[in-house]
Amino acid sequence: MSWFKRESGDYEPDPNTPGNGDSERRVRTEGLFIKCQGCRQALYKPDVEANLNVCPKCQHHFKLSARQRIEMLLDPGYELVDGGLRSTDPLNFHDVKPYKSRLRKAQEETGLDDAILNAVGNLGPHSVVVSAMEYSFIGGSMGAVVGETIARAVDRAREGRKPLIVVAASGGARMMEGVVSLMQMAKISTGLAQLDDARVPYICVLTDPTTGGVTASFAMLGDLNIAEPGALIGFAGPRVIEQTIRQKLPEGFQRSEFLLEKGFLDAVVHRRELKDYLIRAISFMQPVA
């Protein structure tokens, strides 16, 4: 039975033969597959990325970074502007860890100064200003830097008479900056009122998730409010609402399709159609001279 039961020492793999080393024999798939939160299927990551980070099976829209958003919307040659702003930690805030350390970690991981990027560039035939939020930076929360950066985008759009597009992705106001973060709601809203008086178009694209003070201010003030499919949009989360009113919420509550049905959104647009949709919308609101 020696042919069936190999004795110790009968076989020594040749380390010079490809695949025989320990590191070579391991199947390395880490990072090549991701799990879809919609259909729960394992997906080959390059295929998902080639599909604009949309699941090819169920059309679930994965999150995108602020830079990816800008690259997806604007033609090549755009310019990043209004950078270099960093929070000063006005309250010297500590919870589980100091706010300063949270900021440093987020800055190192994302390569950004805060949860926002502004860019000026061309969207088809239109010169536009885009302000895109970064959810992976402390949940895309809105502090003084985010508020000031969006306010600068509003001013830039008004002065240059360029349509403004804000891509919202946020957990709301940044609690670590207290009332300073809440002041950004009024600050941005005031700027948008001036933009409206100047008759410059403002479009807000709401993505998953858009909640809290961001929803309660600039995210719902667009001349056109559109959202990606399946995006969570609201003020308080559904779990908090259920616990407060002690009632079961309807199916799909606070998802973009539900809000469209109830009149809170103007459209729900698939990611592959978003750029063309925005070009058509801006052409209607501000025809090219």
Side-chain angles (χ1 to χ4, degrees):
M1 297 293 289
S2 60
W3 56 271
F4 183 78
K5 185 177 180 182
R6 179 175 293 141
E7 299 293 336
S8 176
D10 283 351
Y11 172 73
E12 290 294 335
D14 181 2
N16 296 320
T17 301
N20 280 347
D22 287 343
S23 60
E24 294 291 334
R25 283 186 290 175
R26 296 195 194 101
V27 178
R28 295 186 178 276
T29 59
E30 184 178 359
L32 289 180
F33 289 87
I34 55 177
K35 188 174 184 180
C36 177
Q37 298 174 3
C39 61
R40 316 303 293 176
Q41 296 293 312
L43 306 172
Y44 187 49
K45 190 173 181 180
D47 288 345
V48 177
E49 292 173 348
N51 198 38
L52 297 177
N53 283 281
V54 176
C55 174
K57 299 181 183 295
C58 72
Q59 305 305 307
H60 171 76
H61 284 47
F62 290 89
K63 291 181 177 62
L64 291 179
S65 68
R67 194 176 297 273
Q68 287 175 314
R69 291 282 181 189
I70 291 171
E71 290 175 350
M72 183 183 72
L73 293 178
L74 296 182
D75 300 337
Y78 65 83
E79 178 187 4
L80 295 178
V81 294
D82 303 323
L85 300 178
R86 292 196 170 196
S87 175
T88 59
D89 186 15
L91 302 180
N92 193 26
F93 189 88
H94 288 67
D95 49 7
V96 177
K97 62 177 69 173
Y99 177 41
K100 285 186 175 68
S101 67
R102 291 186 186 275
L103 285 170
R104 281 195 300 270
K105 182 179 179 182
Q107 288 160 356
E108 291 169 359
E109 291 179 347
T110 63
L112 302 180
D113 293 319
D114 215 289
I116 193 76
L117 273 181
N118 281 358
V120 176
N122 292 324
L123 178 63
H126 305 285
S127 179
V128 299
V129 179
V130 174
S131 191
M133 303 189 73
E134 176 59 68
Y135 186 74
S136 61
F137 194 108
I138 314 182
S141 50
M142 178 179 62
V145 171
V146 170
E148 174 63 20
T149 303
I150 296 177
R152 292 188 183 190
V154 174
D155 292 342
R156 190 180 292 273
R158 186 185 71 251
E159 293 165 4
R161 298 201 59 79
K162 298 179 179 181
L164 172 64
I165 300 170
V166 173
V167 183
S170 176
R174 189 172 297 174
M175 55 168 276
M176 297 81 118
E177 296 187 17
V179 71
V180 174
S181 66
L182 298 179
M183 290 169 60
Q184 309 310 311
M185 299 168 63
K187 178 179 179 178
I188 299 171
S189 298
T190 300
L192 290 174
Q194 295 172 345
L195 190 70
D196 183 60
D197 290 340
R199 303 182 68 82
V200 176
Y202 164 48
I203 300 175
C204 189
V205 180
L206 294 89
T207 69
D208 184 49
T210 301
T211 58
V214 169
T215 304
S217 56
F218 64 86
M220 284 294 186
L221 293 179
D223 298 308
L224 189 64
N225 294 323
I226 63 180
E228 289 189 334
L232 176 66
I233 301 167
F235 184 69
R239 188 180 305 170
V240 174
I241 295 174
E242 281 190 336
Q243 292 173 348
T244 302
I245 66 175
R246 298 184 181 181
Q247 294 181 20
K248 186 68 177 176
L249 297 174
E251 184 70 23
F253 181 77
Q254 289 188 323
R255 295 292 170 177
S256 49
E257 293 80 7
F258 183 89
L259 270 67
L260 177 65
E261 180 185 339
K262 301 301 180 183
F264 283 90
L265 293 173
D266 297 299
V268 175
V269 183
H270 194 285
R271 191 173 290 167
R272 77 167 74 94
E273 302 168 358
L274 183 58
K275 185 171 182 176
D276 289 340
Y277 185 97
L278 291 172
I279 291 172
R280 292 197 304 272
I282 294 173
S283 296
F284 175 78
M285 291 189 286
Q286 190 182 58
V288 179

